[in-house]
Amino acid sequence: MTGFEIGVSIFTAFLQSVLCFLFCFKKEKIFCFGKTVYTLSVCEPSDEGEAETLNESYEIEKENGEEQEKGAEKEVLKKAGAKARETVCPYKRYQSILLMIFAVAAFVSSSIFLKLNIDIWFNYVKLSVLTFIVVTAAFVDLKLKKIPNLLVVFGLSARVVIYVLELIFSTEEVLAIFKNDLIGFAAGFGVLLVAALVSRGAVGFGDVKLFAVIGLCSGAICTYTTLLFGLIINTIASLILMAAKKKNRKSAIPFGPSVCVGYLAALFISSF
């Protein structure tokens, strides 16, 4: 692996990480390290007999609904007319840090692996975009139980652009590529769509849309393997949670994280 290829891999992983963290911090607000700030306005008479407003700020750390107050009690502040700016994160601070480390490790390792095994640059871009989408969707789905439509639209848009590039630079192979993608699309989107309709909510339509992107971007074999591994991992996770009495048979387990692990496993055992 040349120095240029290493540089491209590191730059790709850096770009993936930045986009992932921005999306999680700014768009979905599931990662954050901020504090809740209460501003208390107190009116006291001045020497001239006029009311003077004294502003004091109190910082309150808030993690996952639990608050530790510094300098004043929250209820006292509320009764005194304090104005609050609140930031509430689904993930605790240490969870956010661990997931960010996981994301960077996933992006770096996948970028290096793809660069070593893929010669055509637009295939490298296509799978790098898909990796970003799958990892980011897993983080959101785990806490908010949804797959953001913005990620799906971004993935489909990127795939359309790459189809145009494939039509220009790989004219002889474009029909075979499109056929392979359609099989992957049918295997992912089609199977999960039927499951979503039959299960009446056990399988979410966000997962269906995510597999549409996976099928069109990774083709048949990777989609098959991702779906198989995802189902196995999700089943094992469900059994463990039920054994720990944290979930029951009727509880819905987010599928996004299992899809993420299944996709990364499928990616690393694929032959390109």
Side-chain angles (χ1 to χ4, degrees):
M1 194 172 185
T2 65
F4 174 76
E5 291 174 329
I6 294 175
V8 170
S9 301
I10 297 301
F11 175 77
T12 302
F14 172 76
L15 188 59
Q16 289 171 317
S17 300
V18 170
L19 291 175
C20 177
F21 298 157
L22 283 177
F23 190 86
C24 292
F25 274 98
K26 299 296 184 181
K27 179 64 174 65
E28 297 297 335
K29 294 180 172 59
I30 56 173
F31 290 170
C32 56
F33 303 100
K35 296 177 181 179
T36 301
V37 178
Y38 287 89
T39 303
L40 174 62
S41 297
V42 182
C43 292
E44 293 183 357
S46 63
D47 294 337
E48 290 79 14
E50 297 178 355
E52 181 180 359
T53 300
L54 304 176
N55 293 321
E56 300 180 50
S57 295
Y58 300 91
E59 291 184 348
I60 300 176
E61 293 184 347
K62 190 166 188 176
E63 287 190 357
N64 200 26
E66 298 176 1
E67 299 179 359
Q68 296 176 343
E69 301 179 356
K70 293 182 179 180
E73 294 292 335
K74 179 180 178 181
E75 293 302 322
V76 174
L77 291 175
K78 280 189 173 181
K79 290 178 181 179
K83 296 180 180 180
R85 184 178 72 253
E86 298 191 40
T87 302
V88 183
C89 297
Y91 286 108
K92 293 182 180 180
R93 189 171 303 176
Y94 79 91
Q95 292 173 331
S96 298
I97 293 172
L98 290 177
L99 288 178
M100 291 170 69
I101 293 172
F102 170 83
V104 172
F107 292 146
V108 171
S109 58
S110 63
S111 296
I112 293 174
F113 177 82
L114 290 173
K115 197 61 184 174
L116 285 171
N117 291 277
I118 295 180
D119 296 326
I120 303 175
W121 65 270
F122 47 78
N123 283 342
Y124 174 80
V125 173
K126 173 181 66 178
L127 291 174
S128 296
V129 169
L130 181 58
T131 303
F132 153 72
I133 290 171
V134 171
V135 172
T136 307
F139 293 164
V140 178
D141 192 34
L142 183 60
K143 283 296 183 181
L144 303 185
K145 294 181 174 60
K146 70 173 185 177
I147 304 294
N149 288 328
L150 182 59
L151 291 177
V152 175
V153 172
F154 175 70
L156 294 177
S157 301
R159 188 65 187 102
V160 170
V161 173
I162 294 172
Y163 272 134
V164 175
L165 295 174
E166 288 171 338
L167 186 61
I168 296 172
F169 295 103
S170 300
T171 306
E172 297 178 357
E173 300 177 2
V174 69
L175 288 178
I177 293 171
F178 189 65
K179 180 181 178 180
N180 185 40
D181 291 347
L182 282 180
I183 296 172
F185 178 82
F189 178 83
V191 170
L192 282 185
L193 178 60
V194 173
L197 295 173
V198 172
S199 65
R200 297 180 181 180
V203 177
F205 284 97
D207 301 321
V208 177
K209 291 180 285 186
L210 179 62
F211 262 95
V213 180
I214 294 173
L216 291 175
C217 289
S218 66
I221 295 177
C222 188
T223 303
Y224 292 150
T225 312
T226 299
L227 183 57
L228 176 61
F229 285 173
L231 290 172
I232 292 173
I233 294 167
N234 197 254
T235 301
I236 294 173
S238 299
L239 292 174
I240 292 174
L241 290 172
M242 285 191 292
K245 297 182 179 180
K246 293 186 176 181
K247 299 287 183 180
N248 55 46
R249 293 182 179 180
K250 295 182 180 180
S251 299
I253 308 296
F255 195 34
S258 300
V259 173
C260 174
V261 177
Y263 166 75
L264 291 173
L267 190 68
F268 288 126
I269 66 173
S270 297
S271 57
F272 298 96

